[in-house]
Amino acid sequence: MKYAIIAAGEGSRLVAEGIEDPKPLVRVGEERLIDRLIRIFMDNEAEQIVVICNDLTSLVARHLLRIQEDGLNGRSVPLFFLVKSTPSSMHSFYEISSHLTAGPFVLTTVDTIFKEQEFKDYVKTFRKCVAQDGLDGLMGVTDYIDDEKPLYVGTDEKMTVTGFFDTNNPPCQYISGGIYGLTPKAVKTLNDCISRGEQRMRNFQRALIRDGLQLKAYPFSKVLDIDHASDITKAEAFLNT
């Protein structure tokens, strides 16, 4: 299975709070954010890892080139990366989507922090749901809310996704964790969103429901994003529990 990482954001809030490294290279504990994801994806049988980073600095691209050429921690990595600035995460996804049409894939943003065992269980469930149940997507969700503008996820008693909402109305138990297990059917929806001039990943997720794709939610105990300097401390404490 392929994995993809959106690492094209500017990380402006981190910069404003004194963090000098570009967001993908920020360390949580002893590990850079992008290295952590690549390592975890390799531990979950990645046949290819596709990354998009922005062109505002060469530091991330140079780091990815070293991994492409020399591997990560002595381990060869089947890495493809694209350097391009985009106006939104949805546009970043679009730029790499042509590499994700051969089969199921898992997409995350570079600052997504989760427990490794939970992710392993999620990937196993996603593979099963696609192969046996014909599912179109398994969306990582959490009932832990520490986001400035969370995307609420409506679910029924079978954890089928019923909608994505900017406000908690109707009441929802979960919010999006920024972990998307999808099949190539989702790329057609993405292309249609781009052609309509839509913006933001949450609008893409709403379009998946509109287009009739069958999505289920998979609960993680916590999923954290690294948007502020204080989030680094939170993430380190979470991973150490």
Side-chain angles (χ1 to χ4, degrees):
M1 191 166 65
K2 292 187 177 183
Y3 295 84
I5 304 171
I6 296 173
E10 297 181 21
S12 55
R13 286 171 290 190
L14 288 171
V15 172
E17 294 172 7
I19 303 298
E20 295 183 356
D21 287 331
K23 183 183 280 192
L25 303 184
V26 167
R27 293 181 184 272
V28 171
E30 298 300 318
E31 200 166 23
R32 299 186 190 277
L33 289 172
I34 199 158
D35 291 357
R36 180 176 189 270
L37 285 178
I38 290 172
R39 175 181 59 77
I40 292 172
F41 293 165
M42 291 298 296
D43 289 343
N44 285 275
E45 302 177 9
E47 63 182 69
Q48 187 180 41
I49 299 173
V50 181
V51 181
I52 180 169
C53 61
N54 66 49
D55 57 11
L56 301 178
T57 172
S58 63
L59 293 176
V60 178
R62 291 208 308 264
H63 183 76
L64 291 171
L65 182 61
R66 283 195 295 271
I67 293 174
Q68 193 178 62
E69 294 178 343
D70 302 330
L72 180 66
N73 302 324
R75 187 179 191 182
S76 179
V77 176
L79 175 65
F80 168 84
F81 70 93
L82 173 68
V83 182
K84 186 172 183 178
S85 292
T86 63
S88 73
S89 292
M90 189 178 76
H91 286 80
S92 294
F93 179 22
Y94 173 74
E95 292 295 337
I96 58 174
S97 62
S98 62
H99 300 273
L100 304 171
T101 58
F105 60 91
V106 175
L107 169 76
T108 74
T109 52
V110 74
D111 61 338
T112 305
I113 300 292
F114 45 76
K115 288 290 183 70
E116 292 182 41
Q117 184 58 53
E118 291 184 8
F119 185 78
K120 185 178 289 291
D121 294 341
Y122 162 80
V123 171
K124 181 179 179 181
T125 301
F126 176 50
R127 292 179 188 273
K128 175 179 177 295
C129 287
V130 170
Q132 298 182 14
D133 305 329
L135 198 69
D136 298 314
L138 188 65
M139 316 303 274
V141 300
T142 180
D143 59 6
Y144 174 77
I145 302 177
D146 187 32
D147 196 301
E148 294 167 356
K149 294 181 180 179
L151 178 64
Y152 294 91
V153 182
T155 55
D156 66 13
E157 66 280 358
K158 295 183 179 180
M159 293 298 286
T160 299
V161 176
T162 57
F164 297 95
F165 310 99
D166 290 330
T167 61
N168 196 15
N169 185 23
C172 301
Q173 183 176 354
Y174 301 106
I175 64 168
S176 174
I179 301 168
Y180 316 100
L182 297 167
T183 65
K185 287 177 68 174
V187 175
K188 181 183 184 305
T189 295
L190 175 66
N191 291 339
D192 291 343
C193 287
I194 294 295
S195 67
R196 289 192 297 264
E198 295 188 16
Q199 303 278 340
R200 307 184 71 191
M201 280 294 287
R202 59 184 58 195
N203 292 330
F204 160 69
Q205 292 176 77
R206 292 183 181 113
L208 293 173
I209 298 294
R210 250 189 346 258
D211 287 353
L213 275 69
Q214 298 301 304
L215 308 178
K216 287 204 169 183
Y218 185 92
F220 285 71
S221 61
K222 283 185 182 181
V223 180
L224 306 179
D225 294 332
I226 307 298
D227 293 321
H228 299 281
S230 60
D231 293 333
I232 298 172
T233 304
K234 289 180 186 177
E236 290 172 342
F238 167 57
L239 293 177
N240 286 329
T241 58

